Amino acid sequence: AIRMTQSPSSLSASTGDRVTITCRASQGISSYLAWYQQKPGKAPKLLIYAASTLQSGVPSRFSGSGSGTDFTLTISCLQSEDFATYYCQQYYSYPYSFGQGTKLEIK
Amino acid sequence: EVQLVESGGGLVQPGRSLRLSCAASGFTFDDFVMHWVRQAPGKGLEWVSGISWNSGSTGYADSVKGRFTISRDNAKNSLYLQMNSLRAEDTALYYCAKDRGRSISSGQDYWGQGTLVTVSS
């Protein structure tokens, strides 16, 4: 099974900051990677698929990059509504797997 | 409007069975891969199982393989998860999720609100 490792596990930042979250796969997954945002008590929301394609309706301050084993999610100018937990997920092969999550908190 | 409504959760004793259902509406159900994803209390997301549009391809997490079975009824726009030999570590909120893709996945773009399964004696 492919293991997904995110870093950092938690991150403190301020509104207006640029933040980057990384995700590493234990083996190559091409660009079969998605990023999700989850707020407390809510279902996850798809932000990016195919490593870098923005899901419809997602603000352009979110961007993704990478291929193979190393990926990043960048939020260019943090807004108050962006404080949440972020997960990467590989869908290259079954069983699919999520990273452990990165909790983005207000500094 | 896409809607996914899970049901069937509840309190169950270890070793017993439970069947979850997900009623889908607002999209052409048999055009998409569907998934179950769970989240234990206070923990991260865990992908559980997925099924292609025609049930021709299924996948399972190692933690549930041999105990859980995913299925779908396209005529009823419904997704199911049969859970047998339940363990305490299966306690979680179970989400039904629609994929962007038909035969291969492309990210899960719609999610239900989840149904809670508690395994305890």
Side-chain angles (χ1 to χ4, degrees), chain A residues 1 32 34 36 38 41-46 49-50 55 87 89 91 94-100, chain B residues 35 37 39 43-45 47 50-51 57-62 95 100 105-109 111-112:
Chain A
Y32 293 93
Y36 299 86
Q38 188 180 33
K42 300 294 187 181
K45 173 186 176 182
L46 177 65
Y49 61 93
Q55 172 68 356
Y87 297 91
Q89 181 203 35
Y91 52 90
Y94 282 149
Y96 297 166
S97 47
F98 289 93
Q100 81 278 16
Chain B
H35 302 270
V37 176
Q39 188 167 35
K43 302 297 184 183
L45 300 173
W47 179 85
I51 186 167
S57 175
T58 59
Y60 297 92
D62 290 344
Y95 291 105
R100 295 183 64 260
S105 285
S106 185
Q108 287 92 72
D109 58 353
W111 298 64

Side-chain angles (χ1 to χ4, degrees), chain A residues 94 96, chain B residues 33-34 50-59 70 72 103:
Chain A
Y94 282 149
Y96 297 166
Chain B
V33 176
M34 297 293 295
I51 186 167
S52 63
W53 68 279
N54 64 351
S55 305
S57 175
T58 59
I70 191 171
R72 63 191 296 163
S103 294

